[in-house]
Amino acid sequence: MTENRVKGIIPKEIGAALKDLKILDLGQNMLTGTIPSTLGDATDLSTLYLGDNALTGTIPSSLGKLTKCTHLYVDRNNLQGPLPNELSNLSEITMLGLHQNTLTGAIPDLSAMKKLRALYLDSNELSGELPTSIGELSALIDLRLGSNEITGTIPTELGNLESLRDLHIQRNRLSGSLPLSFAGMKNLREFHAYSNKITGKIPVQIGFLGFFSQLKILYLDGNELTGTIPPSVANMKDLVDLYLGNNNLEGPIPTTIYRLSSLKNLRLNDNELTGTIPVEFDKLSQLEYLYLQNCRLEGAIPNELGVLNKLFRLRLYGNALSGTMPRGVCHLRGLHLEELQVDCEGVSPAIECTCCTTCF
């Protein structure tokens, strides 16, 4: 009955009336009211979809009786309150989606969900620290905890999740450094940790011996990282997006980055980076976004950037760059380059530029 614009409430008699039901899909409708606790009496359910409605109230603890359930989704509603501890009884669960509600409280111990492959708790108001027991969910492939109010440090136990491919912990209040145990997540493809309070240095081991070596997306922007960008980032050869902006990183941009031949997005802006823009950037043939603004870079803008014919946005303002915008870069304006921003404002600008879209 999905996507049928069904209105009204879920009848409280539904559990007793449908005890033999295996699949109940009421997602993407216009249902209101609460989730009846009697739904827990439908103990043969293997799949329960109530997502994308307008349901209110709390998640009934009686859902913990659905011990045969493998797929449970109540996402995109207006549910409130804590996650019931009884959910840990769902020993057959493989997919659990509770995202985009206003759930509160701490994440309970879910370590009994040994078959869980995907856990979606993002976009709620969950608080407290991440339970170390998450590291016992060995079947987990996709873990999404972003956009909550989770505090404390990142548990080292997450490094035990060898099957994990997607880890989303962005937009929380996490602090401390990146655990070296993350080297154990050898299959990780995406790591979203932006907009937290993560401190310390980017581990020099990154890119070595499975440490993020298969990563395609790395978002660490908007934290409090210090130190330099280790040259070993170039060992993450499948990387498409590298976001390190809005931190306190210093030192030069490692020239080894040119080895990231699949890179499309490179954002190092709003740091304390020094030195010049590497001429080796001309090897990044797939690059579409290059953000280096608001750092302490100096020298001339390399003419070699003019070969980046897929470049869409180039931001270089707020540095100590000087000279004239290279002709090759200006020629990119006739291709895909729609945004070119440098310090070219005033009578005696730092950069002479006749092709820039915005001058600062």
Side-chain angles (χ1 to χ4, degrees):
M1 295 180 67
T2 186
E3 293 187 82
N4 277 300
R5 301 180 66 84
V6 176
K7 298 181 180 180
I9 64 172
I10 301 174
K12 63 180 181 179
E13 298 84 5
I14 192 169
L18 302 173
K19 282 189 175 182
D20 297 326
L21 193 66
K22 300 293 191 294
I23 297 175
L24 178 59
D25 187 352
L26 297 174
Q28 300 182 54
N29 282 293
M30 304 171 67
L31 295 172
T32 56
T34 62
I35 300 174
S37 60
T38 53
L39 197 54
D41 296 329
T43 53
D44 276 345
L45 272 179
S46 64
T47 301
L48 176 60
Y49 285 104
L50 299 177
D52 206 357
N53 280 287
L55 298 170
T56 56
T58 60
I59 297 175
S61 60
S62 60
L63 294 188
K65 296 191 295 182
L66 303 178
T67 56
K68 296 180 181 179
C69 192
T70 60
H71 294 69
L72 173 58
Y73 284 88
V74 294
D75 55 293
R76 297 183 179 89
N77 281 289
N78 300 311
L79 300 174
Q80 301 175 335
L83 300 178
N85 290 323
E86 290 80 359
L87 290 180
S88 62
N89 296 329
L90 303 177
S91 57
E92 297 297 314
I93 198 78
T94 61
M95 313 285 282
L96 180 59
L98 310 179
H99 49 293
Q100 294 187 38
N101 284 288
T102 52
L103 301 172
T104 55
I107 300 172
D109 184 352
L110 304 175
S111 58
M113 298 179 174
K114 300 300 184 184
K115 298 181 181 180
L116 192 63
R117 293 168 60 86
L119 176 59
Y120 303 140
L121 299 177
D122 47 301
S123 300
N124 280 289
E125 297 177 7
L126 298 171
S127 57
E129 298 187 0
L130 287 178
T132 59
S133 57
I134 289 181
E136 299 178 35
L137 301 174
S138 58
L140 209 57
I141 292 176
D142 196 346
L143 176 58
R144 307 197 180 205
L145 306 173
S147 299
N148 280 290
E149 298 176 12
I150 300 170
T151 55
T153 59
I154 304 171
T156 59
E157 289 80 1
L158 290 184
N160 297 331
L161 302 176
E162 295 183 5
S163 299
L164 198 66
R165 294 185 180 180
D166 294 89
L167 176 56
H168 297 238
I169 55 174
Q170 74 278 4
R171 290 180 177 168
N172 279 289
R173 300 178 185 177
L174 293 167
S175 56
S177 58
L178 293 173
L180 294 180
S181 63
F182 274 19
M185 296 189 290
K186 300 183 186 302
N187 291 297
L188 199 66
R189 301 297 194 273
E190 296 189 18
F191 182 36
H192 300 241
Y194 60 89
S195 299
N196 277 289
K197 298 180 179 180
I198 299 172
T199 57
K201 298 180 179 181
I202 299 173
V204 295
Q205 297 90 338
I206 198 168
F208 287 117
L209 299 176
F211 197 150
F212 289 177
S213 59
Q214 296 194 51
L215 210 63
K216 292 187 176 182
I217 293 177
L218 178 57
Y219 293 158
L220 290 174
D221 47 312
N223 281 288
E224 299 173 11
L225 295 170
T226 55
T228 60
I229 301 173
S232 57
V233 297
N235 293 332
M236 299 185 287
K237 294 185 178 180
D238 293 328
L239 210 59
V240 175
D241 290 356
L242 176 58
Y243 287 23
L244 299 176
N246 292 99
N247 280 288
N248 298 308
L249 298 170
E250 58 187 14
I253 300 172
T255 57
T256 54
I257 285 181
Y258 81 89
R259 301 209 305 260
L260 299 174
S261 58
S262 298
L263 201 63
K264 292 184 178 181
N265 286 276
L266 178 58
R267 307 192 184 197
L268 308 178
N269 54 285
D270 294 274
N271 279 293
E272 302 296 320
L273 299 174
T274 54
T276 59
I277 300 174
V279 297
E280 291 84 355
F281 276 5
D282 66 343
K283 305 295 193 302
L284 301 175
S285 60
Q286 303 302 311
L287 202 62
E288 297 176 0
Y289 297 83
L290 178 57
Y291 289 4
L292 302 176
Q293 74 270 20
N294 295 325
C295 291
R296 296 184 179 181
L297 301 172
E298 57 187 10
I301 298 171
N303 187 57
E304 286 81 357
L305 297 184
V307 303
L308 302 178
N309 55 24
K310 293 186 178 181
L311 205 58
F312 183 68
R313 289 181 179 172
L314 176 58
R315 297 179 181 177
L316 302 175
Y317 61 86
N319 285 288
L321 300 171
S322 58
T324 302
M325 181 62 66
R327 182 177 300 177
V329 176
C330 282
H331 284 168
L332 295 178
R333 292 280 289 116
L335 297 174
H336 302 291
L337 189 61
E338 292 191 0
E339 184 179 289
L340 177 56
Q341 301 180 345
V342 302
D343 293 310
C344 51
E345 182 73 15
V347 178
S348 301
I351 302 290
E352 296 284 348
C353 184
T354 59
C355 61
C356 291
T357 60
T358 307
C359 287
F360 290 85

